[in-house]
Amino acid sequence: MNANSKTGETIGVTVRLLANLNTYSPIGKECFKLTIARQETVADFLDRFNIPSVLKPIVVINGRPAKPMTRLSDGDSVLVYEPVTGG
Amino acid sequence: MHGWMGKVLRVDLTEGVLKEERLDPDVARKYLGGRGLGIYYLNKEVDPGCDPLGKENLMVMATGPLTGTKAPTGARYMVTTKSPLTGAITCSNSGGQFPAHLKRTGFDALLIFGAAKKPVYLFIDNETCELRSADHLWGKTTHETTAQLLSETHPKAKVACIGPAAEKGVLYATIMNDKDRAAGRSGVGTVMGAKRLKAIVVRGGQKPAIADADKFKDVQDRVMGQFRETHKDTPPPLRVNGTANTVAIAQAFGVLPTKNFQQGTFDKWENIQASTLRDTLVVGNKACYSCPIGCGRLTKVTQPEFAGEGEGPEYETIYSMGSNCAIDNLSAVTKANYICNELGLDTITMGSTVACAMELYERGYITRKEVGFPLKWGDGHALVKLTKMTGEMKGFGRDLALGSYRLAQKYGHPELAMVSKKQEFAGYDPRAEQGMGLAYATSPIGASHMRGDPAYFEILGIPTLLDPLEWKGRAKWVKVCQDLSAIIDASGICIFFTMRALVEQKMEMRPFGIRDYLEAVTGFDYTIEELAQVAERIINAERLFLVRAGLNRKSDTLPHRLTHEPIPDGPGKGYVCHLEEMLDEYYKEQQWTVNGVPSDKKLKQLGLT
């Protein structure tokens, strides 16, 4: 999705693609800043990374579990990870 | 028998007598192995009121029916005994290579009674068993002991041993196997030290018989095929990051214990997270027997004052020695981990006890005079120094060797000990992860994340994510987790693979994959319902031991800080842990009385009367 496609306005979010999901980072780094369309949903946000659905990525925004239709806000911190065992 | 070897070895250290016994197939079916066999023998043979460090305490080392098979992660064994740290039962689990080889000697379990007059080690060489003098090993580190025993027995033998910490009576000493794998919690090593049993060396060539090889192959092809398909493009996260992966997740949810649980986030967390560990210290990874993941971290520290090589740290060590002490130097944490491995100390309790001491120091309840030097938050040098002093029982290390509860009590402030049943917490603040608080309080071994781990559904996303701040209705899912852990612990496999690959990915978390493996291996036609009964039998048998040892609802507690002082930061800011509300729900789920005692009806149903 084009960042300006909905309203012409954009927001900035900080993204962390953890562990193996780093493979799908657009800049090859685990943590990066991204400019996206205001009101973008989690489902649209995830689409851009092409993470295989078999990995069932979890999205957590500002430390709270997010649903596919949750909308992102300016300054959000977004953590994405494969459901993982361990600790 | 299939799956089980059909024999246990009774070791009387007082008399120096070794005796083989048949494993009753009915007991095996009802308790599986590992943790199940451990509590079966403890309830049968031990007075729950006994002195944990006395001759009358029994230590059971038991494998499970899947240990030593080719089932993925069939690498585990369990040490069960009465704990000197908690006064409750403990069961501490480990992987590596030793457990599979223990089983290959032809014994499912070792029952270790009494205490030797002088240090000994037990050598089992393909069913030939003997006790040998360990005078020359007493005082040696776990690494030195392992090297010496491999040289005097057989280079391909496998060794489990204790270090100086256990010999000197540190209350949270470990049993280390394959050098750096630990049955770590609650002082299982301290019990072994009191028995003057320095090590167990095994060399075995017998493979467990599989009841239905074709069925086993079918299950294996299905499970491993699915695993390979999931990770055909990217490796599993635990292979990439190890358990340190959890640092970023715990920080995001605000459950990363910091400064002795005064905070749930650590401002320098990026310095101790998995990618930092990977980029600075990791030189390779390591897998246990039959494990397709390989989460173990091989590390090398070059910073001169912390230099060394070894295994670790795991997430729990990074929390306890890192954020909980406000230390952001991974080299210091890793060095302290190496010392724990060599001296035989539980890294969780060691780090958390240092954190407790740091808070006592901050508040002026202990001073430089007691410690011998300043003890400030964030001081990695102090952590390393105190870890060594504890393992060697020198100076202030003698106080730290008591664990947080007794340390804080000695200096007049037991409320600063972050413990349940006198055992230190794992790396999750239960104010922002409510179910974990209930799991800590009701774990039979004192605070632990391994006897039922709600972190899976509260922050890790398995089988899904529930709101970690919600406590209503949480007891049901905590019980589901605890039941599942009992089956995993008793089968001889590792929770890391099992939770995603062998368990239904719905909240009921029914262990269909484990059932399939157990049926193929043992030949018993286990159903999900029978396995649910096995789990409840193990958990109720453990609870009975606790009740008979004098523990009840009054022991299922959390510190005042976690139930009354709102967490000051993170997404859970303002929350406390709602333990009492969850406990009421939990006892109903368990069919226990309001005082936490198993009902007669439940015991009868499980055949425990």
Side-chain angles (χ1 to χ4, degrees), chain B residues 328-544:
Chain B
D328 70 333
N329 183 338
L330 264 182
S331 293
V333 169
T334 305
K335 179 66 176 179
N337 190 153
Y338 294 161
I339 294 170
C340 285
N341 288 357
E342 289 171 24
L343 300 182
L345 292 160
D346 173 18
T347 59
I348 297 180
T349 291
M350 183 72 253
S352 299
T353 304
V354 171
C356 177
M358 284 177 166
E359 187 170 358
L360 287 165
Y361 189 93
E362 178 185 42
R363 294 178 187 278
Y365 302 143
I366 56 174
T367 64
R368 186 174 179 157
K369 188 181 165 196
E370 282 92 15
V371 181
F373 47 86
L375 186 56
K376 302 275 178 65
W377 294 115
D379 187 344
H381 288 90
L383 168 74
V384 169
K385 200 169 175 181
L386 289 173
T387 301
K388 195 159 187 291
M389 287 166 65
T390 303
E392 294 174 347
M393 277 279 204
K394 289 183 177 166
F396 187 60
R398 283 193 288 269
D399 281 351
L400 297 178
L402 300 169
S404 316
Y405 178 78
R406 293 170 178 86
L407 172 78
Q409 191 177 48
K410 176 174 177 176
Y411 290 100
H413 290 275
E415 75 281 4
L416 297 184
M418 295 299 112
V419 296
S420 184
K421 296 186 181 69
K422 302 178 189 169
Q423 176 158 275
E424 290 72 9
F425 297 119
Y428 310 91
D429 191 314
R431 290 172 291 188
E433 208 193 319
Q434 298 285 325
M436 186 60 88
L438 179 61
Y440 285 152
T442 57
S443 153
I445 70 167
S448 168
H449 61 306
M450 293 308 294
R451 304 285 87 82
D453 189 353
Y456 282 105
F457 61 77
E458 291 190 320
I459 66 168
L460 299 174
I462 297 175
T464 185
L465 263 189
L466 298 187
D467 183 352
L469 300 176
E470 180 60 73
W471 66 89
K472 288 175 188 161
R474 189 60 29 115
K476 176 181 178 182
W477 303 122
V478 169
K479 179 180 181 295
V480 165
C481 255
Q482 290 176 331
D483 287 352
L484 185 56
S485 88
I487 294 298
I488 295 168
D489 291 342
S491 297
I493 49 178
C494 176
I495 195 167
F496 288 175
F497 181 84
T498 306
M499 286 298 290
R500 278 202 79 189
L502 300 182
V503 170
E504 174 186 36
Q505 295 302 293
K506 296 177 183 171
M507 277 312 292
E508 286 73 16
M509 293 187 266
R510 288 174 293 184
F512 288 110
I514 304 176
R515 189 211 73 85
D516 293 346
Y517 271 115
L518 285 173
E519 184 181 51
V521 168
T522 68
F524 289 141
D525 56 347
Y526 281 113
T527 61
I528 288 296
E529 292 71 27
E530 183 175 352
L531 288 181
Q533 278 236 325
V534 171
E536 290 197 336
R537 185 174 296 115
I538 292 169
I539 286 168
N540 280 270
E542 290 172 341
R543 189 72 183 184
L544 270 184

Side-chain angles (χ1 to χ4, degrees), chain A residues 16 18-20 22-24 30 52 54-56 58 60 62-65 79 81-87, chain B residues 230-231 234-235 237-238 241 245-246 252-253 269-270 273 316 428 456 459-462 465 467 469 496 500:
Chain A
R16 185 176 296 274
L18 200 57
N20 52 339
N22 199 354
T23 309
Y24 304 98
E30 183 177 286
V54 70
L55 296 179
K56 300 177 180 169
I58 301 269
V60 173
N62 304 325
R64 302 290 291 154
L79 177 64
Y81 53 96
E82 182 184 342
V84 64
T85 51
Chain B
T230 302
H231 295 292
T234 61
L238 277 185
N241 270 356
N245 193 59
T246 305
F253 280 95
W269 70 277
E270 286 181 298
Q273 67 160 329
E316 295 299 340
Y428 310 91
Y456 282 105
I459 66 168
L460 299 174
I462 297 175
L465 263 189
D467 183 352
L469 300 176
F496 288 175
R500 278 202 79 189

Side-chain angles (χ1 to χ4, degrees), chain A residues 18-73:
Chain A
L18 200 57
N20 52 339
L21 298 193
N22 199 354
T23 309
Y24 304 98
S25 166
I27 60 164
K29 285 186 176 177
E30 183 177 286
C31 186
F32 51 92
K33 292 191 185 301
L34 199 62
T35 302
I36 63 171
R38 185 175 293 281
Q39 294 289 304
E40 184 164 310
T41 64
V42 164
D44 289 340
F45 167 81
L46 262 188
D47 274 351
R48 65 166 52 74
F49 300 115
N50 295 316
I51 298 170
S53 59
V54 70
L55 296 179
K56 300 177 180 169
I58 301 269
V59 179
V60 173
I61 302 176
N62 304 325
R64 302 290 291 154
K67 293 192 165 64
M69 297 318 290
T70 304
R71 293 187 184 279
L72 286 107
S73 302

